[in-house]
Amino acid sequence: MTSRDTILARLRAAPHAAPAHPAPWRPAPVDDPAAQFTARLTAVFGTAERLGSPADIPAAAARYLAAQNLPLCAAIAAEFAALDWEKAGLTPLPPPSKASVSAAIARAQAASAETGTLLLASPDPEGPWPNLLADTHIAVLSQAAICASFEDAVTRRAGNRLPRSLHAVTGPSRTGDIEQTLELGAHGAVRLHVLIVP
Amino acid sequence: MTALDFKSRAHAAMNDAKLAPALKRMKSHFQTGRAMAAARFPEFEMLRDRAAAIRRRSIALMPDLLERFEANATAAGMQVHWAADAAEACAIAARICRDNGVRRAIKSKSMATEEIHLNAHLAREGIEAIETDLGEYIIQLRGERPSHIIAPAIHLSKEDVAETFRAAHGDLPPGRDIAERTALVKEARVKLREAFLTADAGITGANMLIAETGTILLVSNEGNIDLTATAPRLHIAIAGLDKIVESWDDAGIVLRVLARSATGQDMSSYVTCLTGAAAEGEAGPRQSHIILLDNGRSAMRASNKAEMLACIRCGACLNHCPIYAATGGHAYGGTYSGPMGAVLTPLFDGLRENADLPNASTFCGRCQEVCPVRIPLPMLLRHWREDAFAAGIPPRGERWGLGLWRWAGRANWRYRLATRAASLGLRLTGWWQRGTIRRLPLAGGNFTATRDMTPPSGASFQSRWKGQR
Ligand code: SF4
């Protein structure tokens, strides 16, 4: 007998009565998901800005980096390469594929307003790297991609064919492991800024 | 370890001047965090009820759900292994590493791998395993065990951590200031980033296994799990059988009570959902494995401690336990500590060796009150006390004392006589010691060493009860 058979046999030898399956739960819908997303993200040390048009992305990103006193350079996702970065004074860097980078700008394909959560996925052109390998992660998010809940965001992004990895990211990386005191930027992004576009 | 070791370890811990402030900080931080998170989420209690039902349903349907998980995970491209005990799980992990030429693995915090002592096993096979959760990394460098399931280095100060990094990081310039926490976190970030990008394999635990899609779900705050499971070319997850849940809807409900109970967050900073293996050109490893670990869980499920399998390892019971707050986690002597550890450790490491643990509780009930999945921890500890008594483990004096008590309690007149005699004795002692009992020699002296006692006054409960009726 394999361990699999032994384990399953042991489990089946002790039948238990199962309680009924509890109903699923979703948060009540809100009028302005983008506003709720921003409020929840801000509560966990992230920031967000609503832009009038995708053309405003370079200027907004440069403004954010300058305000943080950071160098005006970032890895730009291919999707946004054609925008006028030069005019914004921002120097494009190669995208972070398995190498650390100071800042990265890429699209997040879905989000949850309930907790201010972004959803990144392995088949995204940049995968989860903009968050995992950049010190500063600037995510571009369409307003229509902001769902009411984590579950809805997963469904929106993945449908019924789940990718190898989904990464739900809520605020910058953090740790309380030294003296129970919050520090940002343990392993993932130290700063998380979201540009919400129409 | 001797049978009475908890007592001496607890004693040492309580005399440790550095531990007390750390535990105090932990208590206020975690307790307030949870209370605030619960207060701003009106559905919290209702979702706790649902989470409790979900976890119990998962235990009941465990064999079917595990088979469903296996089928769906396999279909998605993951390799599923079953391990009956710690030795088998370690052997499977080592074999996968050997077959794939893995010399260096990065690890995210996993209590299951602590439980089976995986790192030591891999080291014997010549495979280096580097912990990446900051707290776990610190204690790995120090050669210690975690003292809290979600904050493994809770017993250390920033000075301790600085000293540890100085000793371990040979390339750290002596002049570099790492006195502050921010500098320490940065030092670890830089050091471990290199490890993430060069390791051959990533090893993680699992917070939940979702049967309907064969998905492994993990939570963290640092992002180290995402890197561990995504950056190397090979991923191995090790999960207790108890991690199984039926659906994504179930997982969503458990997530909502887990983050709030553990750290007072509405959502953990990172929730990582892994299904199958990466396709060509997709981020992530092309090969992924999961080891389903029994190691006593199927036996627990068949016992009167089956409800313990509902545990989602949030740590709330530790954070609210007066015993844990006084002794810290190391006193418990096992992988798990606090009330949940007192239930689990006798199971993994033997009751006779840990006979003190079920007694390491005042039965105040705070743990059960805050447990997100409403596990009756005091009752499970009582079951262990009964088991210990039945196995003849408590010392002879204690067993005789309890036997005498039982004998007295089984006849009304004997009980009345005994309590009257005791009451009279205490009143006389009080009178003799001028109003307050400061010494009670028959109780061994310990009881009155740190407290005084007022002598009984007025009528006994029994006689008043009689009068009321
Ligand atoms: S027993 Fe309950 S409170 Fe304790 S760790 Fe497990 S789930 Fe959390």
Side-chain angles (χ1 to χ4, degrees):
Chain A
M1 242 171 60
T2 62
S3 288
R4 177 185 187 278
D5 299 339
T6 316
I7 292 168
L8 286 171
R10 272 195 222 140
L11 294 174
R12 293 222 156 86
H16 283 248
H21 201 169
W25 185 83
R26 294 287 187 276
V30 289
D31 295 338
D32 187 351
Q36 194 193 19
F37 173 86
T38 305
R40 294 290 152 86
L41 176 61
T42 312
V44 291
F45 313 103
T47 45
E49 186 185 352
R50 279 165 105 155
L51 304 182
S53 135
D56 300 339
I57 293 171
R63 254 198 330 273
Y64 173 78
L65 291 173
Q68 306 294 314
N69 206 15
L70 294 168
L72 290 185
C73 55
I76 315 277
E79 182 190 352
F80 304 117
L83 294 174
D84 196 347
W85 297 98
E86 210 186 302
K87 193 171 140 211
L90 208 150
T91 313
L93 302 172
S97 74
K98 296 201 80 177
S100 301
V101 67
S102 61
I105 303 174
R107 179 179 292 280
Q109 310 252 9
S112 153
E114 183 190 355
T115 47
T117 302
L118 291 177
L119 196 66
L120 312 176
S122 51
D124 293 349
E126 283 72 30
W129 306 128
N131 185 276
L132 299 180
L133 295 178
D135 292 343
T136 303
H137 176 199
I138 300 178
V140 178
L141 178 66
S142 297
Q143 192 160 333
I146 305 177
C147 307
S149 68
F150 165 67
E151 291 87 342
D152 295 344
V154 170
T155 307
R156 181 189 162 90
R157 177 64 187 86
N160 46 24
R161 165 113 188 57
L162 287 162
R164 192 275 161 167
S165 63
L166 286 171
H167 309 256
V169 180
T170 309
S173 155
R174 59 194 256 174
T175 181
D177 274 356
I178 304 178
E179 298 188 334
Q180 291 293 287
T181 309
L182 183 76
E183 290 287 336
L184 298 182
H187 291 298
V190 187
R191 293 165 217 92
L192 177 61
H193 186 59
V194 180
L195 301 175
I196 303 173
V197 294
Chain B
M1 237 172 267
T2 67
L4 295 175
D5 233 357
F6 174 78
K7 278 186 189 160
S8 48
R9 284 192 303 259
H11 204 78
M14 287 162 76
N15 287 321
D16 182 344
K18 271 161 65 184
L19 189 61
L23 290 171
K24 210 167 150 195
R25 205 162 41 223
M26 168 295 304
K27 202 173 136 192
S28 65
H29 178 88
F30 278 135
Q31 292 191 1
T32 340
R34 177 190 176 275
M36 281 165 54
R40 57 174 188 260
F41 189 53
E43 292 91 349
F44 187 57
E45 293 303 319
M46 183 263 292
L47 287 188
R48 277 179 71 189
D49 290 336
R50 289 200 200 171
I54 287 166
R55 293 297 299 137
R56 277 159 189 78
R57 191 174 156 86
S58 307
I59 300 170
L61 304 178
M62 193 177 279
D64 301 344
L65 294 180
L66 285 169
E67 278 187 318
R68 244 177 99 192
F69 173 85
E70 181 188 39
N72 289 324
T74 311
M78 196 179 289
Q79 299 180 46
V80 182
H81 312 263
W82 301 71
D85 54 25
E88 190 177 6
C90 285
I92 295 171
R95 178 170 46 76
I96 298 170
C97 288
R98 259 196 325 268
D99 289 352
N100 291 282
V102 172
R103 304 306 309 268
R104 198 169 188 226
I106 43 172
K107 270 192 72 215
S108 64
K109 182 162 77 66
S110 145
M111 297 311 286
T113 62
E114 289 280 348
E115 178 191 313
I116 62 174
H117 304 291
L118 179 68
N119 291 3
H121 185 89
L122 291 179
R124 281 196 294 276
E125 302 254 347
I127 301 155
E128 183 192 10
I130 305 166
E131 295 289 347
T132 61
D133 171 85
L134 179 57
E136 199 76 28
Y137 176 63
I138 295 166
I139 61 162
Q140 184 184 35
L141 293 179
R142 296 171 66 92
E144 291 178 0
R145 285 215 268 188
S147 66
H148 188 287
I149 52 169
I150 64 164
I154 205 164
H155 56 291
L156 300 172
S157 67
K158 62 179 190 225
E159 289 77 21
D160 295 329
V161 180
E163 206 181 287
T164 308
F165 284 0
R166 284 243 178 264
H169 298 175
D171 52 353
L172 188 67
R176 236 298 273 297
D177 182 12
I178 52 166
E180 289 314 313
R181 285 180 291 264
T182 312
L184 290 167
V185 172
K186 181 127 193 248
E187 169 66 15
R189 175 185 173 93
V190 171
K191 201 84 202 156
L192 289 168
R193 178 64 60 89
E194 193 259 338
F196 280 125
L197 297 179
T198 53
D200 308 306
I203 302 176
T204 68
N207 287 86
M208 284 183 258
L209 307 173
I210 306 176
E212 71 176 348
T213 52
T215 300
I216 305 173
L217 185 145
L218 291 136
V219 304
S220 76
N221 281 324
E222 301 184 356
N224 62 317
I225 292 183
D226 302 65
L227 276 160
T228 304
T230 313
R233 61 185 156 88
L234 175 82
H235 174 226
I236 305 173
I238 300 183
L241 303 180
D242 50 306
K243 299 293 171 191
I244 194 80
V245 295
E246 209 162 336
S247 65
W248 277 78
D249 284 333
D250 289 354
I253 289 174
V254 173
L255 271 184
R256 286 180 179 88
V257 298
L258 171 60
R260 289 176 172 93
S261 303
T263 46
Q265 290 167 279
D266 296 344
M267 175 91 164
S268 306
S269 301
Y270 290 86
V271 175
T272 319
C273 314
L274 307 169
T275 312
E280 181 75 52
E282 184 179 9
R286 301 295 300 275
Q287 211 189 110
S288 74
H289 298 262
I290 174 136
I291 302 172
L292 301 172
L293 173 70
D294 184 339
N295 202 28
R297 286 166 175 81
S298 58
M300 191 186 338
R301 186 172 166 279
S303 78
N304 56 3
K305 286 135 210 125
E307 272 189 290
M308 196 61 219
L309 291 166
C311 175
I312 54 173
R313 308 280 191 265
C314 72
C317 58
L318 284 68
N319 302 339
H320 292 77
C321 175
I323 306 289
Y324 181 94
T327 67
H330 286 154
Y332 290 80
T335 302
Y336 305 96
S337 58
M340 54 89 77
V343 177
L344 286 172
T345 301
L347 199 110
F348 291 128
D349 300 343
L351 178 58
R352 196 166 287 276
E353 293 74 17
N354 293 283
D356 267 345
L357 286 186
N359 295 321
S361 166
T362 63
F363 278 9
C364 73
R366 276 296 271 154
C367 49
Q368 178 170 351
E369 240 169 74
V370 297
C371 175
V373 290
R374 306 199 194 280
I375 297 175
L377 290 149
M379 191 180 79
L380 300 183
L381 286 172
R382 217 195 53 217
H383 288 332
W384 273 130
R385 290 188 189 179
E386 286 157 5
D387 291 359
F389 193 83
I393 293 173
R396 194 181 302 169
E398 191 181 321
R399 273 182 292 138
W400 280 14
L402 284 172
L404 199 67
W405 171 260
R406 177 168 176 271
W407 176 80
R410 282 171 74 103
N412 228 330
W413 67 269
R414 281 199 298 254
Y415 188 79
R416 224 175 307 132
L417 200 68
T419 48
R420 270 194 205 149
S423 163
L424 187 66
L426 285 171
R427 278 171 214 246
L428 280 174
T429 318
W431 173 78
W432 176 254
Q433 295 180 14
R434 291 166 206 278
T436 313
I437 301 173
R438 294 195 178 79
R439 270 178 316 110
L440 206 55
L442 278 177
N446 271 346
F447 188 82
T448 43
T450 52
R451 48 166 113 55
D452 294 338
M453 183 176 159
T454 39
S457 65
S460 72
F461 173 77
Q462 282 204 331
S463 58
R464 286 172 68 176
W465 177 253
K466 231 181 187 163
Q468 291 271 319
R469 277 204 303 189

